[in-house]
Structures are given as C-alpha cells and as structure tokens.
Amino acid sequence: AQKITQTQPGMFVQEKEAVTLDCTYDTSDPSYGLFWYKQPSSGEMIFLIYQGSYDQQNATEGRYSLNFQKARKSANLVISASQLGDSAMYFCAMREENNAGNMLTFGGGTRLMVKP
Amino acid sequence: GAGVSQSPSNKVTEKGKDVELRCDPISGHTALYWYRQSLGQGLEFLIYFQGNSAPDKSGLPSDRFSAERTGGSVSTLTIQRTQQEDSAVYLCASSLGQGGKVEQFFGPGTRLTVL
C-alpha cells in the first residue's frame, strides 16, 4: 500500500483565492511527522510546513496551513491568497520515528497552477 | 549561508559506464540522505548516513549502486554499469540531527541521463 497518497495530479487556482492540496498517509507508527515541500520548475525542494503526530494544533506558516485530521490520516495543505509564484509541484512527505532510516517517504506530488 | 551543493549539475553518460555524483552537505549537518526523482514522479529514498555510517541502505535499487561518506561531510553516490532506467534527478539532503521537526535541506540535484 502507498504510504503517502496525493490524489490530485494537477490543480488550477485563481490568483488571490485559497486552494487545498490533498494528502493521505498510511502508518502504524504512533509517532510520525508530516512535511510539505514545494518544488518550482528550477528543481529545488523548499520546505513549507511540518506537523507532528502528537501536535494538538494544526500547523501554520504564513500563508500555509495544514489541515491535520489524524483519525482520517489526512494532512491537507491549504494555501491562502494564492500568488503566481505559488505555481509549482507540491509534495507531501512522512517520516516515521521508528524507521531506522529516518528518511522521508514522498507522495507523487500535485502540480499547482495559479491563473492570473 | 551555504546550502547543500551537488556536482555535477548535469551528467550525460553512455550505457555501461560508471558515474560518481557528489554531495556537499551543510556544514555541521550530521545526517545526509540520497533520493532519486524520476521524471514527473515523487522522490524515492536511496540511502541515509548518520556521520560516516549508513544504517539504512534498503533503498538502493541494485548492487550497482553504492555510496560513501567521508569525514562526516562529503558523500559520493556511485552507479556502476549505468542503465537507461538510471536516468533521473539525484537529490541529496542533509539535516542537523534526526527525528521530530528536523528539516531536511535539499541540494539542487544532479540530472543524470544515460544514453
């Protein structure tokens, strides 16, 4: 089974509107972290936001917020007031604390396109 | 400050040749990771170093792939007898410690093309 699933391969949003990018995950580890990264066309991976499995509140970082629904195993990224520069690939990733590899497991990504 | 750097940025090679990809992590970062990103896909974990040792090599796709890290700093990913399916962007990341909210900082990647 996929550990991280992003069901939206591509999305359009009008500039200045909010958009939600979906992410569901699968783990039996009670302790884990969820990350969102942005990858513009230049290729670099830019960290956006983090949510720990024991965090009581949803994470927020500027225009980014994470809608964390633990029982549903979802960690959707909400971008408010979209800007043209938000056009990029967005990846959801998970790190399971019991994993000796300490690596991130990534979803397949969502390509967001912001329309002027 | 200096981020994670990788070299070369692009590498074109012929099938069957060996290639070496280099990663310079952020100074002081003890953890180093290699990932592979095939065209239009997410990132696939290859190997993780804590210091100079690699506790997890499970992501290496075949025995043609190997990696080492020296001095707790620079890492080299070597692919022997390259195949066309090895064509991808190879990304290196480093982090200060591990676990929790510790962020992995990514380099710009090496785009490998095997003809």
Side-chain angles (χ1 to χ4, degrees):
Chain A
Q2 292 280 349
K3 288 221 171 201
I4 298 285
T5 302
Q6 294 180 254
T7 58
Q8 306 150 315
M11 287 197 64
F12 285 96
V13 64
Q14 197 67 42
E15 191 179 9
K16 299 181 185 176
E17 292 186 350
V19 62
T20 298
L21 305 184
D22 294 342
C23 173
T24 58
Y25 58 92
D26 182 28
T27 182
S28 57
D29 192 335
S31 180
Y32 53 89
L34 297 157
F35 299 76
W36 277 91
Y37 280 84
K38 173 184 178 181
Q39 187 178 43
S41 56
S42 53
E44 74 269 31
M45 296 288 285
I46 302 168
F47 166 75
L48 296 178
I49 196 167
Y50 167 84
Q51 180 84 43
S53 58
Y54 293 118
D55 293 345
Q56 294 298 310
Q57 294 190 325
N58 287 344
T60 61
E61 290 285 348
R63 293 187 299 111
Y64 304 108
S65 60
L66 206 151
N67 183 0
F68 181 46
Q69 297 188 41
K70 192 171 182 177
R72 294 186 178 183
K73 293 188 175 178
S74 75
N76 298 340
L77 177 69
V78 180
I79 305 174
S80 62
S82 297
Q83 301 172 356
L84 295 178
D86 294 335
S87 294
M89 284 290 290
Y90 288 80
F91 291 99
C92 179
M94 175 173 65
R95 178 172 56 224
E96 296 162 289
E97 298 301 333
N98 284 338
N99 190 320
N102 199 47
M103 76 286 197
L104 295 174
T105 302
F106 284 83
T110 295
R111 180 173 299 282
L112 177 66
M113 291 153 281
V114 180
K115 297 187 290 185
Chain B
V4 178
S5 60
Q6 293 186 245
S7 60
S9 55
N10 278 284
K11 177 71 176 178
V12 180
T13 190
E14 293 179 347
K15 178 182 173 181
K17 295 283 180 72
D18 297 352
V19 295
E20 283 190 354
L21 312 179
R22 176 187 168 107
C23 171
D24 281 271
I26 293 172
S27 178
H29 279 196
T30 56
L32 185 147
Y33 313 80
W34 283 98
Y35 295 88
R36 177 169 74 173
Q37 185 176 27
S38 299
L39 186 63
Q41 311 238 341
L43 279 69
E44 170 193 12
F45 168 75
L46 298 179
I47 190 168
Y48 153 66
F49 287 92
Q50 181 59 41
N52 290 336
S53 64
D56 189 346
K57 302 180 180 179
S58 63
L60 294 176
S62 77
D63 58 8
R64 296 185 295 105
F65 287 72
S66 64
E68 65 174 12
R69 188 180 185 195
T70 55
S73 181
V74 172
S75 176
T76 303
L77 177 68
T78 301
I79 309 173
Q80 296 179 309
R81 304 181 303 282
T82 51
Q83 303 293 313
Q84 288 182 333
E85 60 263 28
D86 299 334
S87 296
V89 176
Y90 289 80
L91 289 156
C92 176
S94 70
S95 66
L96 186 61
Q98 59 189 68
K101 192 179 178 178
V102 174
E103 177 189 343
Q104 293 183 18
F105 294 83
F106 283 80
T110 294
R111 181 175 298 277
L112 175 66
T113 304
V114 182
L115 301 176

